[in-house]
Amino acid sequence: MVKINYFATANNVLAQLKEGKFQIPEYSRLNYLANQLLLKGKKEKLMIEEEIKDKITLYLHQINNALKFLNDMNGRILIADEVGLGKTIEAAIILKELIAREDIKKILILCPSALTTQWEEELSEKFGLQFEINRSVHHWSSYNKIIASIDTAKRSKHIQEITAIRWDLLIIDEAHRLKNSSTIGYKALQNIKADNRIFLTATPIQNNLMELFNIIDLMK
């Protein structure tokens, strides 16, 4: 009897292919269904921990926030840690976990202009994810993974392109800049369609209740 490994690693699969070993279609179908079942229900561990542990130090609060997003937040989370606690890393962990679990493709990250390069470098070096920094109206539908400044995105010629796309994930860094619902930026970005949203802010306590409501409402 041939022993079938339904949860083979990528390396095992590649080794079997090189040796010309193939499962019959029925086994492949069962393998697929078994792995789909693994992805259902409550997530108690991140799938990507082994992959990224050599490049970054994972802290418990970062893992807990990622698991909370996956299990309890219905695709929405406002990460409001103090400065220096690694909000960018937390968002990137969730991002990479969503790619691993749900194969999300269309991802938009909006941040202050001065942070676009930092986001691009950290995602590339620490998570192996390649993003395009977009400054051209012609590129919004040309790339699946895009980083742009909030100021660029809110311009009328850009926001028309952005809102025409259904994004799998929207990340907004320094979301407290959008606390005023009467601004051009707020009104423009509230029309973005995204199945998952991650907002980052270090200053929620300094906002009054209406400003905090506006941020949550934009996220929701």
Side-chain angles (χ1 to χ4, degrees):
M1 178 179 292
V2 179
K3 182 179 180 181
I4 303 299
N5 181 7
Y6 291 106
F7 308 105
T9 65
N11 289 335
N12 288 339
V13 171
L14 290 175
Q16 291 178 31
L17 289 175
K18 288 178 180 178
E19 295 175 8
K21 296 179 180 178
F22 301 95
Q23 293 179 348
I24 62 174
E26 180 62 16
Y27 288 161
S28 294
R29 188 183 71 84
L30 290 173
N31 183 24
Y32 173 79
L33 291 175
N35 279 283
Q36 287 296 104
L37 288 173
L38 279 180
L39 300 180
K40 302 296 183 182
K42 189 174 181 65
K43 288 80 173 176
E44 298 182 351
K45 185 177 181 181
L46 298 178
M47 294 176 62
I48 63 169
E49 280 190 50
E50 290 296 316
E51 182 180 349
I52 65 175
K53 69 178 183 180
D54 293 332
K55 295 184 178 180
I56 65 171
T57 300
L58 283 173
Y59 295 101
L60 184 59
H61 73 277
Q62 296 171 332
I63 296 173
N64 287 342
N65 273 350
L67 291 173
K68 189 169 185 62
F69 175 90
L70 295 168
N71 290 320
D72 304 321
M73 305 304 291
N74 197 29
R76 303 286 190 273
I77 191 169
L78 174 65
I79 300 177
D81 294 339
E82 290 296 329
V83 174
L85 289 182
K87 293 186 296 297
T88 302
I89 296 297
E90 287 181 49
I93 290 170
I94 296 172
L95 157 59
K96 192 165 179 70
E97 187 75 11
L98 283 174
I99 292 175
R101 287 182 178 274
E102 302 181 15
D103 193 29
I104 64 169
K105 291 180 171 62
K106 298 294 291 184
I107 303 164
L108 176 62
I109 298 174
L110 301 179
C111 61
S113 179
L115 298 180
T116 55
T117 301
Q118 177 183 325
W119 268 95
E120 188 272 333
E121 290 176 349
E122 287 206 359
L123 288 170
S124 176
E125 295 171 4
K126 297 177 181 177
F127 294 89
L129 298 172
Q130 305 306 315
F131 275 74
E132 175 76 10
I133 297 178
N134 192 22
R135 301 179 180 89
S136 170
V137 69
H138 305 296
H139 288 174
W140 298 106
S141 59
S142 301
Y143 297 92
N144 283 332
K145 298 179 178 67
I146 295 177
I147 299 170
S149 72
I150 296 173
D151 288 336
T152 295
K154 73 182 183 183
R155 296 173 188 164
S156 59
K157 65 177 183 179
H158 291 286
I159 198 62
Q160 291 178 8
E161 295 283 336
I162 294 171
T163 54
I165 299 169
R166 183 79 188 189
W167 302 92
D168 294 319
L169 173 63
L170 170 66
I171 297 176
I172 298 184
D173 195 4
E174 297 204 12
H176 49 274
R177 296 185 178 215
L178 301 170
K179 61 188 179 183
N180 188 342
S181 62
S182 65
T183 62
I184 293 175
Y186 189 100
K187 292 178 179 179
L189 299 187
Q190 72 180 157
N191 293 318
I192 296 177
K193 298 180 287 291
D195 296 328
N196 298 281
R197 296 170 185 254
I198 302 172
F199 283 19
L200 312 179
T201 175
T203 60
I205 306 304
Q206 297 176 21
N207 300 322
N208 64 39
L209 286 179
M210 184 53 67
E211 291 172 344
L212 186 57
F213 170 83
N214 289 336
I215 295 173
I216 298 296
D217 194 47
L218 185 64
M219 181 182 69
K220 184 170 172 53

